[in-house]
Amino acid sequence: MLYNESLYQELSSSEPKPGVVSNSSPAAHGSANPSPLPPLQDQFGRTFDYVRIAVTEKCNLRCTYCMPEEGVDFKKGDQILQADEIIRTIGVLARMGIKKVRFTGGEPLVRKDIVKLVEGAAGTPGIKTVHLTTNGILFSRYAKDLLAAGLTGVNISLDSLDADKFQRITRRTGVEKVLDSIRLALDLGFPRVKVNVVLMRGFNEDELPAFCELTKDLAVTVRFIEFMPFDAHQIWETGEHFASAENMVNQMKTLYPGIMDSSGTRTEHHIFQAPGYAGKMAVIPAFTRSLCGNCSRIRLTADGRIRNCLYSDDEYDLKTPLRTGGSDDDLAAVFRTAFAEKAKDGFESKKRSAVKRVNIADIGRVSMTQIGG
Ligand code: SAM
Ligand code: SF4
């Protein structure tokens, strides 16, 4: 059964009452969802309350694990969803029980209307949090406006604290700018500030202790992410740079014998706080895929395709109904089809995609920037 009535009622009744301003976040503008639709659910009973929207494929860095120096064949102009199309989609999703929005990319801050997008998402009835994942380079330019627009959280990616290493991984300079952005986000009072570190063996694994020490004085969550081999250019294919979540957890336990379990989001599968520390440290087993049973996320690519799993190549076209007069029900139907077909986990998704794929050139998307990391 794809539609679970009791859950539907629970989701609808948990919305704030009309006119009551929720204290939970500045993004929640308080009005109840006027006309809820049945929630999005898959055949395994998972419900989805979180959408990650890539708003561009372009980026001002060139992280080696993400894309080649020359970039990829970036879609632009009319090929990518416009602000009104994105905001309309968020409205439809909110009626289906989606409460959390994350803007990502590519680098979302290279998109000039990013503040408008945040404002639109934050003002959508039913949306409780609006977050952004950024490399932090342009953050100071937009930080105050983003906060005023209703942004409730920012994840800033930083893979090395060392200027040379930073340059080697991103093929650009800027480590100080990124560190300043983290401090600025805290100073401005963003409700949630996180630091994303893709940990790689033989490259930045030795920096795990230094990144953990950031949490001593800074009230951030430092999240170590397992590297995922999504690059079709396959520079990491050998697996020699893979650092496992298990190994990261062991290192933390060795570093901080009194470390305590803490609470975090669903993806923060392991999360700890060292005694007396202001922030938290988390491990995300993105490749090991211990998270799939709890999956609650929807992905929308910058060019308007729905993806039901990071590991699946299957895509569902939302842009066409958006541009050919499709009703809200038509848009909702595309999401329902995508999630009715979601596989049990990322291993199954990958297997199915591999069967369909004849050769490497059949992978339409060669970088996380095109999927929305
Ligand atoms: N440009 C923004 C940034 O870097 O934060 C947003 C997009 S980026 C694709 C989102 C996140 O995905 C970043 O934290 C990045 O480090 C991570 N990422 C990119 N490629 C990855 C890969 N192959 N494995 C694991 N994480 C990856
Ligand atoms: Fe750009 Fe983010 Fe990819 Fe790095 S990980 S190249 S910052 S999109």
Side-chain angles (χ1 to χ4, degrees), residues 65-66 104-107 133-135 157 196 198 226-228 368 373:
Y65 55 74
C66 185
T104 180
E107 172 49 40
T133 300
T134 171
N135 60 32
S157 304
N196 283 354
V198 177
E226 274 181 341
F227 166 70
M228 295 174 278
M368 284 281 267

Side-chain angles (χ1 to χ4, degrees), residues 25-73:
S25 90
H29 282 195
S31 55
N33 206 319
S35 49
L37 294 165
L40 194 58
Q41 194 172 22
D42 73 4
Q43 58 179 312
F44 305 101
R46 289 176 292 201
T47 52
F48 299 85
D49 65 356
Y50 175 24
V51 64
R52 296 173 71 95
I53 304 177
V55 295
T56 179
E57 294 183 355
K58 292 186 194 158
C59 189
N60 46 356
L61 298 183
R62 288 288 181 277
C63 303
T64 49
Y65 55 74
C66 185
M67 60 170 135
E69 168 75 71
E70 64 276 16
V72 292
D73 186 14

Side-chain angles (χ1 to χ4, degrees), residues 215-217 260 273-279:
T215 70
K216 186 172 185 180
D217 299 317
M260 296 165 294
Q273 190 159 26
Y277 278 39

